[in-house]
Amino acid sequence: MIDKMRRLELCMKECAATFGWSLSGNCLACSKGALSFLLLPTLEDEQINYSLSYRLTEFDRIYHAMTTANIFPGAKIADGSQPVESWGLMSVSTAMRTITGRADRFATALAQRVKDPAENLDFLRYLYARSIRDLKPPLDYSCELILSCLLTGDFDAAEKAAAAARRNGDNGGELYDHVRSYINRYAPQESAPQEGMSWY
């Protein structure tokens, strides 16, 4: 197993150089346009399983300000598996190149469609509807909704979305206290009228 993992790591480094991605821990990462992507491959018997997640890159800045975590986890948008003929280096390389090429094409196409918070929420709503249609657990995008509100400066909507997520047991509810703290630090403060100033 150690030899397999070592070969997978070598092939991930090769793919990073070939496709312009970077090796980030056990993932391949890249940024395209306004989006960032993480490709996670894992070994299983005679195949490499993989998942691709994405996020609006600007979410990282706000997420870090709220939680001190560097990267917002994002949403999974694709997964699958790629057969491996053998665990020889060439076979693993071919499988990883196939996976990474597929992910790179998908990422490039999505980055051309999703360029701002509104388009990102539209795409997340599409993913939600798709998960319902395919009888899969519905996608929870409450965190993305909260971060979008903060990103656009709609602090009231962000707090309401976090409160709703907390009531509904959504992931965004875990951010509620962080959202309140963020708003207290960054929301514009109303200026008190100066003494003697007339408002009419």
Side-chain angles (χ1 to χ4, degrees):
M1 187 66 169
I2 294 176
D3 287 343
K4 290 182 181 179
M5 292 178 64
R6 178 59 180 158
R7 289 169 190 162
L8 179 62
E9 182 181 341
L10 288 171
C11 294
M12 288 173 66
K13 288 181 179 178
E14 176 193 29
C15 286
T18 301
F19 292 95
W21 290 48
S22 61
L23 190 62
S24 177
N26 59 345
C27 298
L28 288 172
C30 80
S31 292
K32 292 180 182 289
L35 307 180
S36 294
F37 299 86
L38 282 177
L39 175 63
L40 173 63
T42 56
L43 302 175
E44 182 179 328
D45 298 329
E46 304 303 316
Q47 63 189 27
I48 298 173
N49 296 331
Y50 63 90
S51 65
L52 179 67
S53 62
Y54 94 106
R55 65 194 185 279
L56 204 64
T57 304
E58 285 191 272
F59 284 169
D60 288 350
R61 173 177 55 83
I62 296 176
Y63 193 67
H64 177 73
M66 288 199 298
T67 68
T68 72
N70 288 326
I71 296 176
F72 175 63
K76 185 170 75 171
I77 47 176
D79 56 19
S81 61
Q82 181 65 32
V84 180
E85 291 185 7
S86 73
W87 288 104
L89 194 58
M90 288 301 296
S91 292
V92 178
S93 175
T94 299
M96 268 311 304
R97 281 174 173 267
T98 300
I99 292 170
T100 309
R102 188 178 300 145
D104 189 68
R105 290 190 296 274
F106 190 100
T108 298
L110 185 60
Q112 292 171 350
R113 283 183 53 190
V114 176
K115 300 176 183 178
D116 58 41
E119 291 177 343
N120 186 54
L121 286 175
D122 284 344
F123 181 65
L124 289 165
R125 292 184 186 103
Y126 159 76
L127 292 178
Y128 175 85
R130 187 181 70 177
S131 65
I132 297 294
R133 184 190 67 223
D134 295 344
L135 303 179
K136 293 182 178 180
L139 175 73
D140 175 7
Y141 60 93
S142 55
C143 290
E144 283 88 348
L145 175 59
I146 293 164
L147 292 173
S148 295
C149 293
L150 293 175
L151 188 61
T152 56
D154 193 343
F155 297 110
D156 185 54
E159 186 173 1
K160 288 178 180 177
R166 173 178 268 189
R167 288 193 303 271
N168 297 334
D170 299 334
N171 289 335
E174 300 168 5
L175 294 178
Y176 182 80
D177 293 333
H178 296 296
V179 170
R180 291 290 307 133
S181 176
Y182 183 93
I183 291 172
N184 288 337
R185 280 180 288 156
Y186 296 106
Q189 300 299 314
E190 294 183 6
S191 300
Q194 297 179 11
E195 186 177 349
M197 179 178 289
S198 173
W199 290 100
Y200 51 91

